[in-house]
Amino acid sequence: MTSPSLAEVVRLLDRRYPPSTAESWDAVGLVAGDPDQPVRRVLFAVDPVGVVADEAEAWGADLVVTHHPLLLRPVHSIAATTVKGALLHRLVRTGTALYTAHTNADAAAGGVNDALAQVLGLVATAPLDPAPAEPLDKHVVFVPVEVAERLVDALAAAGAGAVGEYTRCAWTSTGEGTFTPSDSASPAIGSAGQAARVVEARVEMVAPRRLRASVVAAMREAHPYEEPAFDVLELASWPGATGTGRVGTLAEPTTLRAFAATVAAALPMTAQGVRYAGDPDGRVERVAVVGGSGDSFFDSVRASGVDAYVTADLRHHPASELRERAEHDGRAVGSSTPYLVDVAHFASEWPWLALAARTLAQDAAAAGTTVKTRVSTVSTDPWTGRVASPDPPKPLSPLEPSAPPEGHP
């Protein structure tokens, strides 16, 4: 097999992690690289930083795929005198391309959150905050029976009739149509001024709403009638199969303390480790996860009814308020869920790298090419150490009253 070009690899990555699903503030896709250059080796990492560039250069990587963007905020210079400019110059000099999949990889099937849920042992997962499914139209067309198959082919070629892993999906039934052409008409069937009756097929196919104009144009081109009879119906919207976070169930219930230990064992070691908030002996079975910073999803977590929530970068006030509310609302039912499990940001997103690397190699092979993939072995978690409190920690106590000033009775 031959090596794919960078443009071909980008197409494979964009198909798995569509840039259109990234948040509006995000910066994803190809950052640097010649689309025509061959790609033999691809290194996957969480962060686009110097030590990752070191690893890429030592291994001879042609492409580095990172989760976090290098240029998330606008810059006015990429001179090598700046830290980001120096990194870009280095990548270009060594012929190493850079590609980012960030919030689009968070939401995708087989993305960051699916990988995190998988390594924690969650099954029967679904999005915590589902993205809406793509808006669909239903195209209903009435056509002579003998032309129905040709019409289905034409609509399918324009993008209609795709349902999951199936294409050219259509439903047909037959009936009788009638019409009377005017003296100015040029009918394909019948004569001016005379009522015509034709056995027609009713063809129904769904299509993305964004393709409406091209599907209607294809229908008119393939239809034998001067004025086709057709309807375009907007279908109701519903939650899609992708979105932020995942909710799933553990194979066996456990305690919060034991579950936190499972999380610590499943993720890379970091200086922070794993913190948890809640009753150590509390029951945990249903779990929500969000890779990266996740305290903005507390409302969805509460609504999901989970026992525990695993995420990163939990801040004092949001975490305190969630636990206070859980304690207050749980008094009536005897359960103060959801509990919180806080991990390092880097650690929560790292499991995706192996899944993404494996998926790209498989997609390249299916396209008749080959790439060698590798997961970065360098921890890019910024924290390098932690001093633990004494075990058991010294309890807090009120301040001792100060001694009265001299001469005071």
Side-chain angles (χ1 to χ4, degrees):
M1 289 187 182
T2 60
S3 297
S5 67
L6 176 59
E8 290 169 332
V9 173
V10 167
R11 280 195 291 271
L12 295 177
L13 291 168
D14 284 351
R15 189 181 71 183
R16 289 288 179 177
Y17 318 109
S20 62
T21 63
E23 297 290 341
S24 59
W25 49 262
D26 206 359
V28 301
L30 187 63
V31 180
D34 180 352
D36 293 329
Q37 74 183 70
V39 174
R40 295 169 291 271
R41 295 185 172 192
V42 183
L43 179 68
F44 286 80
V46 173
D47 296 292
V49 292
V51 290
V52 170
D54 291 341
E55 187 177 8
E57 186 174 356
W59 185 52
D62 305 296
L63 170 63
V64 176
V65 176
T66 64
H67 182 51
H68 291 144
L70 177 65
L71 303 175
L72 180 60
R73 294 180 176 83
V75 297
H76 302 287
S77 169
I78 57 168
T81 53
T82 67
V83 63
K84 293 186 177 183
L87 182 61
L88 279 173
H89 278 263
R90 181 179 175 186
L91 292 172
V92 171
R93 191 167 55 247
T94 58
T96 309
L98 177 63
Y99 176 95
T100 297
H102 192 208
T103 52
N104 50 328
D106 288 334
V112 170
N113 290 299
D114 275 334
L116 179 57
Q118 182 179 323
V119 299
L120 299 186
L122 301 184
V123 297
T125 57
L128 170 67
D129 187 21
E134 182 173 22
L136 297 177
D137 290 336
K138 179 189 286 188
H139 293 257
V140 182
V141 187
F142 299 88
V143 63
V145 169
E146 60 272 16
V147 186
E149 289 298 307
R150 188 179 75 195
L151 181 75
V152 170
D153 288 338
L155 296 184
V163 180
E165 297 300 319
Y166 299 86
T167 58
R168 202 181 176 275
C169 300
W171 185 87
T172 62
S173 62
T174 58
E176 186 177 77
T178 183
F179 51 86
T180 301
S182 73
D183 292 339
S184 301
S186 301
I189 298 174
S191 303
Q194 297 182 9
R197 294 186 178 277
V198 184
V199 177
E200 294 181 329
R202 174 190 172 109
V203 177
E204 299 185 16
M205 299 177 75
V206 297
R209 198 163 299 163
R210 56 185 167 80
L211 299 180
R212 179 182 294 176
S214 58
V215 172
V216 170
M219 180 273 296
R220 287 187 177 277
E221 179 68 23
H223 205 291
Y225 288 177
E226 186 178 17
E227 292 292 342
F230 68 97
D231 297 316
V232 179
L233 309 175
E234 294 189 354
L235 300 183
S237 61
W238 60 86
T242 63
T244 302
R246 295 294 183 267
V247 176
T249 305
L250 296 171
E252 296 288 341
T254 186
T255 64
L256 175 59
R257 181 191 291 108
F259 177 62
T262 297
V263 174
L267 300 182
M269 184 178 67
T270 60
Q272 172 185 317
V274 174
R275 304 184 297 178
Y276 63 85
D279 178 6
D281 297 317
R283 186 179 189 273
V284 173
E285 183 175 15
R286 187 166 167 79
V287 177
V289 302
V290 167
S293 305
D295 59 17
S296 62
F297 295 97
F298 279 170
D299 287 344
S300 296
V301 170
R302 284 193 293 265
S304 69
V306 295
D307 303 310
Y309 177 39
V310 181
T311 190
D313 298 340
L314 290 182
R315 296 169 294 162
H316 174 88
H317 291 296
S320 175
E321 289 174 3
L322 180 137
R323 290 300 307 142
E324 281 289 295
R325 179 171 177 175
E327 293 283 354
H328 176 272
D329 295 347
R331 291 189 185 112
V333 295
S335 173
S336 60
T337 57
Y339 305 130
L340 298 177
V341 180
D342 183 36
V343 303
H345 192 120
F346 160 83
S348 71
E349 295 169 335
W350 187 86
W352 171 68
L353 303 181
L355 179 57
R358 185 168 62 250
T359 300
L360 177 60
Q362 293 169 346
D363 289 347
T369 58
T370 182
V371 294
K372 184 177 292 185
T373 61
R374 177 175 176 176
V375 172
S376 174
T377 58
V378 178
S379 172
T380 55
D381 182 61
W383 305 105
T384 58
R386 178 176 67 91
V387 177
S389 300
D391 189 16
K394 182 179 178 181
L396 298 177
S397 59
L399 294 175
E400 295 292 333
S402 57
E406 286 187 28
H408 190 79

